[in-house]
Amino acid sequence: MKSWITKSGHTVYEVLSGRSNVFLVTNGDKCILVDTSVKRKWRRLDNEISKLCGKKENLVALVLTHGHNDHAENAYKIKEKYKCSIIIQENDAAFLHNGKHPLPKGTVLFTKLLVNLLGKSVVPYLKYEPVQGDIFVEDTCDLADMGFNMRIIHTPGHTMGSTSVIVDSEIALVGDTMFGVFQNSIFPPFANDQKLMIKSWKRLLDTGCRVFIPSHGTENTRELVEQQYEKYKIKYNI
């Protein structure tokens, strides 16, 4: 299991990878889960949470980086079993509450064609068990009251309600605001507002984080994110 440790002692664990990465952050006492992956991963996810958190009550919150099914399909089960608060940005809350969402727009020729050809037929398969959120992020949400040197910031572009989790101003869990799948590129294949997404990269750089960990693929260095931002801000006239 991959893990990262901040200078103040917060540990970030990658508890699931593959279809969609899931992270658990611990301060040595309590835990916060970031995303949940898809329902077929439930048993493994539950086992990893139990192993790392111990008592059920030690999981104090679930943060959803956005409301798409590959991030939120197990949110209902998490809340039902662990009784923790669910945190989501207000623009994506309806996806979670209704258990469904539209496909995001493609950003390259292949994904644009894919969405145009298969979009309507795929949407029924994106449904998941709906659940009510508890804390709704507008712009930022500080988690100090939960005992964590963490904050959630609004980083729209992939969806209007996309967020990133900043741990100790060192590690950013960025959801689908970036990808880590393609060599020397962080550009996601799907995003509803590409220009807004590029602006969100700048906001993430402004946090001072040294590593940016996406929900798909592997971590991105600060140097790569800076290079990509400089490239695409020119392309999108930002």
Side-chain angles (χ1 to χ4, degrees):
M1 181 187 300
K2 290 183 181 178
S3 63
W4 299 259
I5 302 176
T6 67
K7 290 178 181 178
S8 69
H10 285 53
T11 303
V12 178
Y13 294 98
E14 185 181 78
V15 294
L16 290 181
S17 59
R19 179 68 179 85
S20 186
N21 301 334
V22 175
F23 303 95
L24 186 141
V25 185
T26 178
N27 60 7
D29 180 26
K30 304 295 184 182
C31 301
I32 291 177
L33 187 69
V34 181
D35 289 337
T36 75
S37 193
V38 292
K39 59 185 178 182
R40 63 182 175 83
K41 297 273 193 173
W42 165 249
R43 184 172 295 180
R44 183 178 170 192
L45 175 62
D46 186 34
N47 287 339
E48 295 295 346
I49 294 171
S50 298
K51 181 169 63 177
L52 292 170
C53 294
K55 298 178 181 179
K56 291 180 183 179
E57 57 267 29
N58 288 342
L59 184 66
V60 295
L62 163 63
V63 179
L64 295 172
T65 59
H66 57 291
H68 284 170
N69 68 303
D70 57 332
H71 297 255
E73 275 192 8
N74 290 309
Y76 174 85
K77 288 185 176 180
I78 291 292
K79 188 170 185 177
E80 182 180 49
K81 178 169 182 177
Y82 292 94
K83 313 301 181 187
C84 61
S85 298
I86 296 180
I87 307 173
I88 191 167
Q89 208 278 335
E90 57 189 18
N91 288 303
D92 270 26
F95 297 160
L96 182 67
H97 297 170
N98 295 323
K100 59 181 180 180
H101 62 86
L103 275 177
K105 297 176 182 178
T107 61
V108 295
L109 180 60
F110 173 73
T111 54
K112 289 177 181 178
L113 291 172
L114 192 67
V115 170
N116 288 336
L117 291 173
L118 302 177
K120 290 183 179 179
S121 62
V122 169
V123 168
Y125 297 98
L126 304 179
K127 291 182 178 179
Y128 58 92
E129 190 78 26
V131 62
Q132 293 295 309
D134 300 289
I135 300 171
F136 303 100
V137 178
E138 181 181 0
D139 185 57
T140 62
C141 178
D142 197 307
L143 302 181
D145 288 347
M146 295 183 180
F148 290 81
N149 187 20
M150 294 169 57
R151 67 188 190 278
I152 302 165
I153 64 172
H154 190 202
T155 50
H158 178 69
T159 68
M160 287 307 297
S162 290
T163 59
S164 297
V165 181
I166 309 303
V167 186
D168 272 343
S169 297
E170 293 181 35
I171 297 171
L173 306 176
V174 300
D176 287 2
T177 302
M178 304 173 190
F179 265 45
V181 175
F182 312 109
Q183 188 173 12
N184 298 321
S185 175
I186 66 172
F187 205 86
F190 298 94
N192 285 330
D193 189 325
Q194 297 172 49
K195 189 170 184 177
L196 196 56
M197 181 181 66
I198 306 308
K199 290 181 179 179
S200 290
W201 294 356
K202 178 61 165 61
R203 187 173 196 190
L204 283 162
L205 285 168
D206 287 345
T207 65
C209 286
R210 57 183 171 79
V211 63
F212 303 83
I213 312 175
S215 293
H216 303 281
T218 57
E219 65 187 80
N220 295 311
T221 64
R222 182 175 182 86
E223 291 73 21
L224 177 59
V225 176
E226 288 173 338
Q227 291 168 8
Q228 290 282 283
Y229 173 68
E230 292 299 324
K231 172 183 176 180
Y232 283 102
K233 79 172 184 179
I234 296 171
K235 180 177 179 179
Y236 286 90
N237 194 29
I238 294 173

